[in-house]
Amino acid sequence: MRSLTGKYPRSLAGQVFALQVVVVVLLVAASVLALVVQARHDSSTEAKNRSVAVAQAFAHSPGLLTALEAPDPSKVLQPLTEAARKASGVDFIVVMDTKGIRYTHPRPELIGKKAVATLGPALAGHVYTERVNGPLGREIQAIVPVHNHAKVVALVTAGMKIKSVTGAVARQMPIILGAGAVALGVATSGTALVTGRLRRQTYRLGPAEMNRMYEHHDAVLHAVREGVLIVGVGGRLLLANDEARRLLDLPLDAEGRSIPDLSSLDPGIVELLTSGRAATDEVHLMGSRLLAVNQRPTGRRGGPRGTVVTLRDSTELRALSGRAENARERLNLLYDAGLGIGTTLDVVRTAEELTEIAVPRLADFATVDLAEPVLHGDEPTGTDTDTGMRRTAVRGIRDDHPLYELGQLISFLPSTPQAGAFATGRPELVPDLSDAPGWLAQDPERTRRIVDHGIHSLITVPLQARGVILGMANFWRSEKPQPFEEDDLSLAEELVARAAVSIDNARRYTREHAMAMTLQRSLLPRALPEQSALDVAHRYLPAFSGVSGDWFDVIPLPGSRVALVVGDVVGHGLHAAATMGRLRTAVHNFSTLDLPPDEILRHLDDLIGRIDQEETESGADAGIIGATCLYAIYDPVSRHCAMARAGHPLPALVRPDGSVSFPDLPAGPPLGLGGMPFETAELEVAEGTQFILYTDGLIEDRTRDIDVGIELLRETLACHPERPPEESCQAVLDALLPDRPKDDVALLIARTRAIPPDRVADWDVPFDPAAVAGMRAVVAEKLEDWGLSELGFATELVLSELITNAIRYGSAPVTVRLLLDRTLTCEVADSSSTSPHLCDAAAMDEGGRGLFLVGQLAERWGTRYTPRGKVIWAEMALPRPDGSTEGKAWPAALDVEL
């Protein structure tokens, strides 16, 4: 023993090593013996199985019955059995008759003699194995019957000698013994390693020292701040340390007693301790303590069965965990507020988002009151609690609350928390509303109903951004019986601070949007001019998200003609709106030149090119990408319409029969590209035809193709020829536009009128100054027919000057036309392209005063060019019903020095 354990035979490790070596030796010896016995059994079993298999195979061979019926069966069967014996590995195969007389045998001298075998079971049809002392020695043989139509006609026996079987076992013995020796060596080595480790872990201590260690361990077990229980089979308490006794209030005699008999234990703990199931941090209430219980079963490795239970007082930990959970919920609320508040640049919607986030996660009811200027994009004045704040958003867990209604203007008394928070800029907490006289004084009847409704606590926080208080956010609690706390106040303050920034951004956007809208509307026509050629209705709808550069215009032209204009500047914002204003002014200026539509568009194209170049050279970020425009001129006398477009959608025409068409106007390039010509198309339309001019925002939409929009416009306009333009405008907008359009829309619908032929008079004038006197007489007669004899002198004088000027400085032919509409228009046309100019004649000059006289007598006068020359026109104001004339009167012209 000493040689095995080395220098420490009396240590615990040495004793364990010696015991383990003995155990290993015994286990290896037993294993070797078991292997030998098992090998012998397996060899014997294998010999029996092989004998049965060989005998059955030969008994069922196809030619056996034929050989048995032969005159000399032995002669036929002896070679066959010997060949089969050698191939199968058995020692003999013998065929015999039913009396046991051999037909074959490895020793031929035994053929014809009776075999040593038990024949009864085989003759009964069964396979039988046995051990016998045969001619070859001690044998194991199997006897198998040979059947012929269910009758046993012969027997086949096959077997092996016992010494052959035992010889196989003897050959395996070296291997078995070698394996045992190896196992003994490995086990001994492993035992030595384990013993060495045990020696290191026990510091080569003996039993006495280990006993003292156990005592120390026991002392530590009872000193730890975690309860430890050991429960045996049947729910009996085997061990409880001091902490477990304290936590569970166990009596002194608790150890050894059954768990259910301990009356101090909670039923839930009793159920857990007696169940034997595993538990991890399972919380149980024990008096005022919250215990975290862990339980694990024992005995899985052969030890005593039972459970080990540890107990930990988690009362303070649970409180800390609750506070951590509250902090997590608050962080989630603030995170959701960052995502959910300020999704739009709308003041009211942002206030609503604040209440949606706060209810019910922070409060049961939430309201937002904003200063009235904030709703319009302005900054509050600082006295809005006196003038009142508008309730902008209300949200609660129920709708039947008695709080101030949405949209109501509220003036808070100085004693209220809202007024105090507004004055100081700091939030206020009212734990008990029923004991808040300052708040109760605001509206005694309403505040009483609020308290009766169950609302008992309030937090009011000023919505403050950039040092300016925009309003108040109020949070009310009713469902939870606890009032708001300081933690709730800090959370509400941070939540409102984030919302205040979003509301201020929305307010500033509202102001800028309103300014842009004001600018754009100031640049658009405020009222359509009076004219008789068209019955016009219009609509302008700005985009929901901002202003754009769409515009329209109706411009009266000489000769009762009217120009219709619709355009669209690419882009959005103030830059597009300002550019639109510049283009609209330019269109008016170019229209005064009375140019055809294609030349108007060419001038606009040059203008945009120059503007774009100027902005590029100045380094401006926003350049003009381009613009589209459609310009049309309608003449109510001839009912002709001249149109040209620059990248603009085709207009629609609704004819008097209700049919809708889109005239194929030449598609010019958008304005600003330069280098491409524009073309004018001439149309003749019937009286009552409607022109529908629009911008692309009407027919284009992200949810549909442009062709779908055009077809929808066609369907809306068709079959309604008598519908007034105003109703047609509304019908088109209702059918084609969504509730929140993404782009501006300008729509212009004009129904054509025609001037009756009896209000138009024209004459050809001989190219002779003497013809002027005759024309004056003809014109005076026509004015008499129209009931305008009081305009005769001034009109004759104007026409005399214009005809004289055409004959003197122009070229034939010369024509005169009078047009009676809202004014009396006098036109003198000739084939010359030279334009007359107004000049300041000196006192001694003979001429140069004619056009000056025309300018004094006429409301307006001017020149327009035609493909055949020019037309000089002058408009005379018609008399009022009281007999006076509008504008200039001809007697005033006599005061000039001629």
Side-chain angles (χ1 to χ4, degrees):
M1 180 70 69
R2 181 177 296 274
S3 63
L4 293 174
T5 59
K7 295 173 63 178
Y8 305 98
R10 294 181 181 180
S11 68
L12 179 62
Q15 295 178 20
V16 170
F17 177 73
L19 178 61
Q20 287 182 337
V21 168
V22 173
V23 172
V24 168
V25 171
L26 293 176
L27 289 176
V28 172
S31 299
V32 170
L33 180 60
L35 286 174
V36 171
V37 173
Q38 182 65 34
R40 287 182 177 273
H41 177 268
D42 292 343
S43 298
S44 177
T45 302
E46 197 273 335
K48 288 181 181 181
N49 293 339
R50 184 182 296 182
S51 300
V52 171
V54 172
Q56 284 183 333
F58 200 86
H60 294 86
S61 61
L64 181 59
L65 293 177
T66 303
L68 290 173
E69 293 174 356
D72 187 1
S74 297
K75 182 178 180 180
V76 178
L77 295 174
Q78 178 65 13
L80 297 176
T81 56
E82 285 303 299
R85 177 181 68 79
K86 294 175 181 178
S88 62
V90 297
D91 291 330
F92 60 89
I93 298 175
V94 177
V95 181
M96 66 189 79
D97 59 12
T98 56
K99 295 178 181 181
I101 304 301
R102 301 185 182 97
Y103 291 126
T104 65
H105 197 275
R107 294 170 58 183
E109 67 271 14
L110 297 179
I111 296 174
K113 296 181 179 182
K114 188 172 182 178
V116 181
T118 304
L119 305 180
L123 293 175
H126 303 292
V127 177
Y128 182 70
T129 60
E130 62 180 349
R131 291 173 180 264
V132 297
N133 291 318
L136 302 179
R138 190 69 175 167
E139 302 171 349
I140 297 175
Q141 65 181 6
I143 306 170
V144 177
V146 178
H147 293 85
N148 186 9
H149 301 293
K151 180 181 179 182
V152 178
V153 297
L155 302 174
V156 177
T157 178
M160 299 179 66
K161 295 180 290 186
I162 294 297
K163 66 179 182 180
S164 299
V165 176
T166 56
V169 175
R171 289 191 297 271
Q172 296 178 359
M173 284 301 295
I175 299 176
I176 295 174
L177 293 176
V182 172
L184 179 60
V186 172
T188 304
S189 301
T191 301
L193 293 175
V194 172
T195 301
R197 184 176 181 85
L198 180 61
R199 184 182 295 116
R200 290 191 300 272
Q201 292 180 345
T202 59
Y203 299 97
R204 299 182 177 89
L205 297 176
E209 289 83 357
M210 292 298 297
N211 185 52
R212 287 195 301 273
M213 181 180 292
Y214 171 76
E215 292 176 354
H216 296 162
H217 173 73
D218 186 66
V220 172
L221 176 67
H222 292 284
V224 296
R225 293 296 305 273
E226 188 168 290
V228 179
L229 299 175
I230 298 179
V231 182
V233 178
R236 186 170 300 278
L237 181 62
L238 302 180
L239 173 67
N241 69 347
D242 294 343
E243 183 67 10
R245 293 176 183 276
R246 185 185 70 83
L247 294 177
L248 298 178
D249 295 330
L250 295 177
L252 296 177
D253 60 346
E255 293 182 355
R257 295 175 58 181
S258 177
I259 295 293
D261 295 338
L262 300 175
S263 58
S264 61
L265 296 181
D266 181 78
I269 294 181
V270 171
E271 186 277 330
L272 174 62
L273 297 180
T274 56
S275 66
R277 60 183 172 84
T280 301
D281 287 338
E282 193 170 298
V283 179
H284 289 268
L285 183 64
M286 186 66 190
S288 60
R289 301 187 184 99
L290 283 175
L291 301 181
V293 183
N294 292 273
Q295 179 169 276
R296 293 292 183 273
T298 61
R300 295 181 178 179
R301 299 182 180 179
R305 298 181 62 81
T307 56
V308 175
V309 182
T310 60
L311 308 168
R312 186 173 65 255
D313 189 353
S314 63
T315 305
E316 295 182 1
L317 181 62
R318 180 53 61 98
L320 291 175
S321 176
R323 287 195 289 270
E325 179 66 20
N326 291 336
R328 186 184 66 82
E329 293 179 357
R330 293 168 189 267
L331 289 176
N332 288 339
L333 177 60
L334 293 176
Y335 175 77
D336 293 340
L339 298 178
I341 298 178
T343 59
T344 65
L345 289 172
D346 182 80
V347 172
V348 175
R349 179 56 192 155
T350 305
E352 293 173 349
E353 289 171 345
L354 171 60
T355 60
E356 291 171 359
I357 290 292
V359 177
R361 299 165 68 178
L362 173 62
D364 299 316
F365 297 91
T367 60
V368 175
D369 307 321
L370 295 179
E372 191 74 19
V374 175
L375 297 174
H376 305 292
D378 300 325
E379 287 192 359
T381 60
T383 59
D384 294 286
T385 52
D386 300 330
T387 59
M389 288 192 288
R390 185 74 62 183
R391 177 134 296 178
T392 309
V394 179
R395 190 174 183 84
I397 57 175
R398 299 189 306 273
D399 295 332
D400 58 340
H401 57 79
L403 301 172
Y404 283 114
E405 295 79 9
L406 185 67
Q408 185 170 352
L409 187 64
I410 308 170
S411 296
F412 292 103
L413 296 178
S415 61
T416 60
Q418 288 85 351
F422 189 92
T424 62
R426 294 189 296 271
E428 291 201 9
L429 168 63
V430 182
D432 187 2
L433 290 174
S434 62
D435 190 23
W439 176 76
L440 294 171
Q442 169 69 24
D443 186 347
E445 182 179 355
R446 183 181 294 273
T447 54
R448 179 184 56 78
R449 287 191 285 118
I450 291 175
V451 173
D452 293 342
H453 192 74
I455 299 176
H456 58 81
S457 188
L458 165 67
I459 290 177
T460 181
V461 185
L463 283 156
Q464 188 170 355
R466 298 182 299 106
V468 178
I469 298 179
L470 308 175
M472 304 300 298
N474 306 294
F475 305 97
W476 316 78
R477 176 169 286 180
S478 64
E479 291 295 313
K480 295 181 181 179
Q482 301 86 2
F484 284 119
E485 301 175 348
E486 290 298 327
D487 289 344
D488 300 316
L489 181 63
S490 61
L491 175 61
E493 188 175 8
E494 187 167 355
L495 186 65
V496 171
R498 299 189 180 195
V501 174
S502 298
I503 290 177
D504 186 57
N505 290 338
R507 177 194 65 80
R508 297 170 66 183
Y509 171 79
T510 301
R511 180 185 61 189
E512 294 175 1
H513 182 69
M515 292 172 58
M517 289 296 300
T518 302
L519 171 63
Q520 187 177 38
R521 292 192 181 278
S522 67
L523 297 175
L524 290 172
R526 298 186 180 183
L528 296 182
E530 294 183 358
Q531 44 81 32
S532 303
L534 298 168
D535 181 12
V536 181
H538 62 89
R539 292 288 190 277
Y540 174 76
L541 271 71
F544 185 81
S545 58
V547 298
S548 184
D550 294 17
W551 92 92
F552 65 92
D553 226 327
V554 178
I555 306 173
L557 299 177
S560 296
R561 295 170 303 135
V562 177
L564 301 176
V565 189
V566 173
D568 182 5
V569 176
V570 176
H572 292 80
L574 290 175
H575 181 263
T579 303
M580 176 270 289
R582 299 173 73 177
L583 292 182
R584 180 170 176 258
T585 302
V587 169
H588 272 269
N589 292 334
F590 295 145
S591 297
T592 58
L593 301 177
D594 214 344
L595 301 175
D598 57 334
E599 294 190 27
I600 295 285
L601 296 181
R602 182 171 57 80
H603 286 296
L604 289 177
D605 184 61
D606 294 340
L607 174 64
I608 290 182
R610 289 195 300 272
I611 294 175
D612 197 15
Q613 183 177 2
E614 292 173 1
E615 294 191 353
T616 302
E617 292 175 353
S618 64
D621 293 334
I624 302 176
I625 300 177
T628 66
C629 182
L630 189 149
Y631 192 93
I633 299 176
Y634 173 68
D635 187 348
V637 177
S638 63
R639 291 181 286 106
H640 278 75
C641 181
M643 292 185 180
R645 64 186 181 117
H648 203 80
L650 288 171
L653 265 64
V654 182
R655 303 191 183 278
D657 60 358
S659 62
V660 180
S661 64
F662 293 86
D664 188 15
L665 301 182
L671 300 175
L673 297 182
M676 298 289 289
F678 301 97
E679 298 182 38
T680 297
E682 296 282 347
L683 304 175
E684 183 174 353
V685 296
E687 185 177 5
T689 300
Q690 295 187 48
F691 293 104
I692 293 85
L693 282 64
Y694 52 89
T695 55
D696 57 1
L698 181 70
I699 57 175
E700 291 184 358
D701 190 84
R702 295 180 181 178
T703 61
R704 65 171 183 247
D705 189 73
I706 188 171
D707 293 335
V708 177
I710 292 177
E711 188 60 31
L712 186 58
L713 176 62
R714 182 196 302 273
E715 294 174 357
T716 306
L717 296 172
C719 303
H720 297 285
E722 301 300 327
R723 185 167 57 189
E726 281 289 339
E727 296 181 9
S728 295
C729 280
Q730 193 59 47
V732 168
L733 296 181
D734 293 342
L736 275 77
L737 289 188
D739 295 334
R740 300 159 71 95
K742 301 296 183 182
D743 194 8
D744 285 20
V745 175
L747 175 64
L748 192 65
I749 298 182
R751 187 197 302 275
T752 62
R753 297 171 180 164
I755 295 180
D758 58 355
R759 288 179 171 250
V760 180
D762 51 4
W763 302 272
D764 292 329
V765 180
F767 199 73
D768 183 359
V772 174
M775 288 304 304
R776 293 179 64 171
V778 173
V779 168
E781 182 180 355
K782 191 61 181 179
L783 292 178
E784 184 72 26
D785 293 341
W786 285 344
L788 299 176
S789 56
E790 60 269 34
L791 294 180
F793 179 79
T795 304
E796 291 175 20
L797 189 57
V798 167
L799 279 175
S800 297
E801 294 298 331
L802 294 180
I803 295 173
T804 301
N805 189 74
I807 294 174
R808 179 175 297 180
Y809 302 106
S811 58
V814 177
T815 60
V816 174
R817 185 173 76 166
L818 291 182
L819 179 61
L820 178 59
D821 191 19
R822 293 179 178 271
T823 60
L824 177 63
T825 304
C826 306
E827 297 179 350
V828 176
D830 66 87
S831 59
S832 173
S833 59
T834 58
S835 176
H837 297 283
L838 187 67
C839 60
D840 187 11
M844 301 304 294
D845 291 341
E846 295 184 1
R849 298 180 179 85
L851 291 180
F852 182 78
L853 183 62
V854 171
Q856 292 294 314
L857 294 176
E859 281 287 309
R860 296 188 305 159
W861 75 277
T863 304
R864 75 171 183 270
Y865 295 92
T866 66
R868 293 181 297 273
K870 67 176 183 295
V871 175
I872 304 177
W873 55 269
E875 293 182 355
M876 311 293 293
L878 297 179
R880 293 192 181 97
D882 59 0
S884 63
T885 59
E886 298 179 1
K888 302 174 183 178
W890 63 266
L894 300 180
D895 296 334
V896 300
E897 184 178 358
L898 298 178

